[in-house]
Amino acid sequence: MGQKEAKRAFCEWCHSRCRVVVHSEDGRLTEIEEDPSFPLVDNIFPPTRACLRLRGASEFMYHPDRVDFPLKRAGEKGEGKWQRISWEQAFDEIAAKLGQIREQYGAEAVASIHGTRRTHAEFSIRFMHLFGSPNYVGNGMICSAPDGVSGMMMFGWRPRYAVSMRFEKDAATGKPETQCIVCSGENPAHSYFRIWKGMRDVKAAGGKIITVDPRRTEAAELADIWLQIRPGTDAALFLAMINVIINEGLYDKDFVEKWCHGFDQLAERVREYTPENMAGITWLSADQIREAVKMYTSNRPATILTMGEGLEQQQYCIQALHARFILSALMGLVDAKGGDYLPGPANFITEADIELPDMLSPEQKAKQLGTHRFKLASWPGRTLINEGTRRVWGKDGGRARVMSQAHAPTMYRAILTGEPYPVKAAITVAANPMVTQGNTKLVYKALKSLDMYVVCDHWLTPTAELADYVLPVTTWLERPYLSSGGAHDNYIVAGEQALPSTITGEYDRRHDFDIARELAIRLGQGEHWPWTTLEEAFDYQLSPRGMTFKEFMDKGGFEFPPKEFKKHERQGFGTPTGKVELYSTILEKLGYDPLPYYKETFENPVTAPEVAEEYPLMLITGGRFVPMYHSEHRQIDSCRRRRPDPLVQINPKTAAEFDIGSGDWVWIETKRGRIRMKCQLFDGIDPRVVHAEHGWWFPELPGEEPWLHGVWESNVNVLTEDDPEVCNPVQGGWPLRTALCKVYKVKSY
Ligand SMILES: Nc1nc2c(c(=O)[nH]1)N[C@H]1C(S)=C(S)[C@@H](COP(=O)(O)OP(=O)(O)OC[C@H]3O[C@@H](n4cnc5c(=O)[nH]c(N)nc54)[C@H](O)[C@@H]3O)O[C@H]1N2
Ligand SMILES: Nc1nc2c(c(=O)[nH]1)N[C@H]1C(S)=C(S)[C@@H](COP(=O)(O)OP(=O)(O)OC[C@H]3O[C@@H](n4cnc5c(=O)[nH]c(N)nc54)[C@H](O)[C@@H]3O)O[C@H]1N2
Ligand code: SF4
Ligand SMILES: [Mo]
């Protein structure tokens, strides 16, 4: 009889954040089921047991394509020739090269590249801060940072109500806390299953849903009002809503008077933003805008979902989100039940603390690429925001991923040009920039020209194929877990390591933590890495609570403190003025417009009529779809069978105009390149707009150049623009949801 085990592990294959029970026999995965001991087990739709990614877990664990041992490039870069080496050799060689580059060019010549939340990247950032480099980049800047820093600068903490772990019901009544949800630029039916369940619960309890989306998504179908907005114009819509709320006196006068800074300036600003003036811009009618205001203001409390990528990935994301947060403030729904809840930090050593932001010297911070131009989500903005959060909450309100990343487009250009200084090496941790970063052609040239490129991943992705070293990492199944919502929240959740990371002769995978630590020790950071294992690091994180990781797990492995609202009445807000800053003194200090505004995006028929002559359609990208997660799961057969091909959604009228039929392969072309996808006729998209999925590569195609697993075939970021000139002027986010394109049938395929 084999040795059977059951462990409570925390799944990181999407942001829905489930804890599950993982069964194994002799260290081999046998089954995964829901964890009934986890308090939010029923709070998800569909239930965990129906999760397609989980069902493919055995395929994932034992897939023949998994990178199981460290690899070193054996041929030219991109030639697809690899040599297996030992972990010791990998660590020794990589550390030696990093040390040499620091010696020759300075620490800032070493970069790290991160993806969305998947692993304990806080330890990789700790390594970077201690190494002395401010140049860690990643998709945080177009995912989380726009939302996070906008909330922080206005409220002095990031609102956490409408996020995946927080969609709770009222503890006393068992009913949804909120009466109305505005779902803007988000489709939780595919992206956040807990929010999706929450929306359905609100609707079932008689609440209202307003969905703002250029496409008729599941969230739009659920809605009482669907606003089919013109892409990139949400700031105009929100400003018009603010205009109505102020003009009709619908706001919470008491809260605004006592707790909001800059109401008069705001009222002045929105004067021109009438529904009538904004109607044409947004493709909505003035009546629709007024109706939405009526529904939003008369169903209290109401909440507007956060983290909608339709908002975060617009060129003027900060301006749109600033206006969005103003709506909550005007309604007095900040730190209020059913509105924007401000939890404050958890009582432990958070992810932000682990990163040791203060160990990076001011001189090195000032060298961060992009920091002089895009100040809000890098050190100048973070420093101002931290003053308030530290004063009121005693801690930083977020970590590097949200608060202080270097600007990726600027960094890729620095690699290529040596300006403003050389960047010579990079380590990628849980990211696939060849597929997910904007402007793939530039990313490709940059990554290829590095002196040393290290990729930590499970697979030989198109990105990994360009590396000098590929380091095989564990998944959530093979490592323990501890988190507090990325340092923004006060709950703590944990999970056990369910499966061994090494089976002799079969595989030898390491945690991202181990990789950071081994390099750190070789580079003289030993005193800051006293823990030999991730569990020991977790013991340290839990030490303020006087318990070890094991003791925390024994007690259930979670803590959700009861919610306390209206804390500002006791402590004020963690902003420079101690109030909600409708008029942001932080933006003002940084030299930007302190109030939100609407501006046309860089590439649309209004701003670029000459481009529109050849490329008449507006392209939006990246709408989420189950079961894929970004560029992941393409090699997992059970997932791929569900979604074998990349899809582009085109309105039947438009398709007819260009002689395209359902299921045809079509070229999608922008000024920057062309890719092909399969046409899905969809009458729920405006005829002037086309939607193309993101994340596509083909693991089954050859890895060596020129194929790179088909990265040039259907990867939508071949089409997107990342020029710093068109990035958000305040924060630097690159516009993934705005471009002009044309579509035409692929003649032979
Ligand atoms: N055009 C367009 N582009 C987009 C988007 C869009 O909507 N449109 N969305 C953007 C958004 S919001 C995001 S967040 C990004 C996501 O961008 P990325 O985070 O780069 O997403 P993935 O492509 O899935 O890359 C993650 C890689 O990490 C590996 N990985 C998974 N788990 C681990 C782990 O624990 N450790 C390590 N070391 N590796 C691991 C996976 O195998 C995969 O290769 O994409 C962005 N790109
Ligand atoms: N299945 C799956 N789930 C995921 C992910 C995944 O890759 N796959 N990724 C995870 C990550 S990292 C993220 S950030 C989230 C993102 O999750 P969501 O925020 O739900 O992201 P999307 O589905 O990309 O975009 C939401 C909607 O924005 C709309 N949209 C496009 N342009 C505009 C616009 O200008 N205005 C408005 N109002 N709407 C617009 C699109 O039509 C789309 O329906 O999903 C997470 N969950
Ligand atoms: S992949 Fe499935 S099990 Fe894992 S967190 Fe997402 S929904 Fe939950
Ligand atoms: Mo994201």
Side-chain angles (χ1 to χ4, degrees):
M1 265 272 287
Q3 161 110 17
K4 290 190 177 172
E5 280 194 307
K7 299 274 186 185
R8 292 160 295 163
F10 216 90
C11 178
E12 291 191 86
W13 277 336
C14 88
H15 292 336
S16 295
R17 316 196 70 204
C18 302
R19 204 170 71 188
V20 291
V21 179
V22 179
H23 297 271
S24 63
E25 190 165 343
D26 289 334
R28 297 206 146 253
L29 175 61
T30 51
E31 202 192 339
I32 306 182
E33 56 184 6
E34 276 159 0
D35 178 0
S37 75
F38 193 61
L40 303 185
V41 64
D42 294 328
N43 196 359
I44 185 147
F45 181 88
T48 303
R49 70 183 105 83
C51 173
L52 295 166
R53 292 180 204 121
L54 272 194
R55 288 198 196 170
S58 281
E59 287 173 75
F60 200 119
M61 267 301 289
Y62 310 113
H63 199 290
D65 292 355
R66 266 288 289 262
V67 183
D68 288 327
F69 301 95
L71 297 178
K72 181 178 178 181
R73 174 166 66 82
E76 294 299 309
K77 271 187 204 264
E79 215 186 352
K81 294 194 179 138
W82 302 98
Q83 172 200 353
R84 177 175 155 185
I85 58 171
S86 70
W87 277 103
E88 288 304 302
Q89 184 186 344
F91 292 140
D92 287 346
E93 289 182 11
I94 294 166
K97 184 79 183 171
L98 293 176
Q100 186 206 323
I101 288 173
R102 177 167 60 183
E103 190 88 343
Q104 198 176 346
Y105 301 99
E108 62 278 10
V110 172
S112 71
I113 302 171
H114 299 256
T116 190
R117 183 199 177 92
R118 280 200 188 80
T119 181
H120 293 94
E122 54 274 21
F123 293 100
S124 312
I125 300 292
R126 182 184 186 92
F127 168 76
M128 290 295 282
H129 282 155
L130 291 167
F131 184 80
S133 176
N135 290 326
Y136 35 84
V137 303
N139 283 308
M141 244 189 203
I142 45 93
C143 167
S144 230
D147 187 274
V149 292
S150 306
M152 296 266 189
M153 75 177 188
M154 288 187 59
F155 301 157
W157 196 264
R158 187 177 186 185
R160 298 302 284 171
Y161 176 63
V163 294
S164 35
M165 293 298 276
R166 276 282 176 201
F167 233 101
E168 296 126 307
K169 293 185 177 165
D170 189 306
T173 63
K175 291 211 172 115
E177 282 180 340
T178 201
Q179 298 296 316
C180 175
I181 293 178
V182 182
C183 172
S184 177
E186 187 162 332
N187 186 23
H190 287 268
S191 57
Y192 296 108
F193 302 135
R194 290 183 196 282
I195 296 181
W196 184 229
K197 173 84 162 61
M199 284 174 73
R200 292 160 59 102
D201 287 347
V202 166
K203 181 85 181 183
K208 302 290 182 199
I209 310 282
I210 303 169
T211 295
V212 188
D213 200 302
R215 301 187 300 146
R216 194 181 64 235
T217 57
E218 287 86 345
E221 277 171 356
L222 187 73
D224 298 276
I225 296 179
W226 168 39
L227 301 176
Q228 190 175 18
I229 196 163
R230 173 182 165 230
T233 65
D234 294 68
L237 167 66
F238 291 148
L239 287 161
M241 290 175 71
I242 295 170
N243 170 293
V244 176
I245 288 173
I246 291 181
N247 284 339
E248 297 186 9
L250 300 170
Y251 56 97
D252 181 335
K253 296 187 185 75
D254 191 47
F255 182 80
V256 167
E257 194 173 305
K258 276 204 200 115
W259 290 109
C260 292
H261 173 76
F263 178 77
D264 293 341
Q265 290 99 322
L266 174 70
E268 175 62 28
R269 169 61 55 93
V270 299
R271 202 186 310 192
E272 299 302 315
Y273 290 95
T274 60
E276 285 69 22
N277 287 346
M278 295 304 107
I281 288 172
T282 54
W283 291 348
L284 304 169
S285 70
D287 283 349
Q288 277 178 302
I289 298 176
R290 287 182 198 284
E291 250 178 67
V293 171
K294 194 167 168 207
M295 188 170 284
Y296 172 66
T297 54
S298 57
N299 291 278
R300 275 183 74 90
T303 193
I304 307 177
L305 297 185
T306 46
M307 290 271 302
E309 292 317 298
L311 290 187
E312 288 206 292
Q313 294 172 5
Q314 296 185 11
Q315 187 176 2
Y316 292 98
C317 54
I318 297 294
Q319 291 68 27
L321 286 157
H322 190 167
R324 168 258 176 265
F325 286 117
I326 286 175
L327 285 168
S328 294
L330 291 178
M331 299 316 294
L333 289 168
V334 187
D335 214 16
K337 191 186 254 188
D340 287 352
Y341 174 53
L342 308 180
N347 172 23
F348 82 143
I349 292 172
T350 68
E351 291 96 321
D353 300 329
I354 286 292
E355 291 177 346
L356 295 180
D358 295 337
M359 293 297 286
L360 187 65
S361 70
E363 298 74 47
Q364 289 307 98
K365 284 177 180 165
K367 288 186 196 160
Q368 189 169 61
L369 289 165
T371 196
H372 301 286
R373 181 166 186 174
F374 307 113
K375 299 180 196 157
L376 183 62
S378 74
W379 284 105
R382 176 168 180 170
T383 306
L384 292 173
I385 289 172
N386 280 354
E387 278 169 21
T389 61
R390 288 182 183 184
R391 185 186 78 237
V392 166
W393 305 97
K395 286 215 189 251
D396 287 7
R399 54 198 188 125
R401 158 159 228 282
V402 173
M403 307 293 292
S404 57
Q405 281 195 338
H407 187 238
T410 304
M411 189 201 77
Y412 288 114
R413 283 163 176 77
I415 294 174
L416 281 172
T417 62
E419 295 296 331
Y421 52 73
V423 175
K424 293 289 182 185
I427 305 178
T428 281
V429 181
N432 190 3
M434 277 294 290
V435 182
T436 54
Q437 179 68 34
N439 195 354
T440 311
K441 287 181 184 170
L442 184 101
V443 173
Y444 166 75
K445 281 193 215 134
L447 294 180
K448 259 201 101 170
S449 65
L450 287 166
D451 285 2
M452 181 176 69
Y453 186 36
V454 180
V455 172
C456 310
D457 207 304
H458 314 305
W459 315 97
L460 279 172
T461 62
T463 302
E465 293 287 359
L466 299 177
D468 300 290
Y469 296 89
V470 180
L471 304 182
V473 289
T474 51
T475 61
W476 60 273
L477 287 155
E478 307 155 275
R479 66 175 172 239
Y481 181 87
L482 182 72
S483 159
S484 68
H488 303 298
D489 219 314
N490 66 356
Y491 67 76
I492 308 179
V493 287
E496 299 164 296
Q497 178 171 336
L499 300 171
S501 59
T502 302
I503 294 186
T504 310
E506 257 184 73
Y507 54 79
D508 185 6
R509 305 162 184 162
R510 301 272 169 104
H511 307 326
D512 294 294
F513 164 83
D514 296 319
I515 296 171
R517 181 174 181 276
E518 291 290 340
L519 295 177
I521 285 170
R522 283 168 177 74
L523 285 157
Q525 301 179 13
E527 62 174 304
H528 298 288
W529 299 81
W531 333 285
T532 53
T533 63
L534 193 48
E535 285 89 343
E536 283 178 24
F538 292 165
D539 288 345
Y540 163 69
Q541 287 186 263
L542 289 162
S543 58
R545 312 169 64 87
M547 60 168 76
T548 63
F549 178 67
K550 181 164 182 313
E551 284 160 358
F552 188 67
M553 277 313 301
D554 287 346
K555 287 195 158 172
F558 57 82
E559 185 183 84
F560 291 92
K563 282 183 182 171
E564 190 197 340
F565 300 106
K566 302 275 174 202
K567 296 179 283 295
H568 52 271
E569 288 173 2
R570 187 177 72 226
Q571 63 186 31
F573 287 95
T575 56
T577 54
K579 294 186 170 186
V580 169
E581 298 204 350
L582 309 174
Y583 178 103
S584 168
T585 63
I586 289 180
L587 284 178
E588 185 175 44
K589 257 200 203 128
L590 295 174
Y592 304 116
D593 190 332
L595 289 164
Y597 54 85
Y598 170 71
K599 224 173 147 177
E600 284 288 328
T601 52
F602 75 102
E603 194 177 270
N604 70 41
V606 180
T607 49
E610 68 299 342
V611 183
E613 264 174 44
E614 182 169 357
Y615 302 102
L617 302 166
M618 294 187 75
L619 175 69
I620 54 175
T621 72
R624 306 312 189 234
F625 58 99
V626 170
M628 302 308 184
Y629 194 76
H630 296 294
S631 74
E632 291 205 73
H633 299 100
R634 301 299 189 286
Q635 61 284 85
I636 307 302
D637 281 345
S638 57
C639 292
R640 187 68 181 281
R641 274 199 303 275
R642 302 261 175 165
R643 289 303 308 272
D645 300 313
L647 296 182
V648 54
Q649 291 179 319
I650 306 177
N651 186 287
K653 275 191 218 142
T654 314
E657 193 183 325
F658 296 104
D659 190 29
I660 294 167
S662 172
D664 283 350
W665 283 92
V666 296
W667 290 110
I668 313 163
E669 183 177 325
T670 69
K671 268 169 70 181
R672 293 158 286 278
R674 71 172 189 177
I675 58 163
R676 49 192 162 189
M677 291 192 175
K678 223 173 181 175
C679 171
Q680 183 183 53
L681 293 180
F682 183 37
D683 65 2
I685 191 164
D686 189 283
R688 295 162 283 188
V689 182
V690 164
H691 167 248
E693 294 173 348
H694 86 302
W696 279 96
W697 60 293
F698 303 94
E700 64 274 19
L701 293 179
E704 66 270 24
E705 301 217 50
W707 294 280
L708 296 177
H709 300 292
V711 79
W712 307 111
E713 292 284 310
S714 303
N715 165 16
V716 83
N717 281 315
V718 168
L719 309 181
T720 55
E721 182 58 273
D722 76 332
D723 189 329
E725 286 300 315
V726 307
C727 291
N728 184 270
V730 165
Q731 173 266 352
W734 42 100
L736 295 173
R737 311 248 167 166
T738 333
L740 285 170
C741 75
K742 64 179 172 187
V743 288
Y744 51 102
K745 199 147 71 180
V746 174
K747 289 282 185 299
S748 59
Y749 189 47

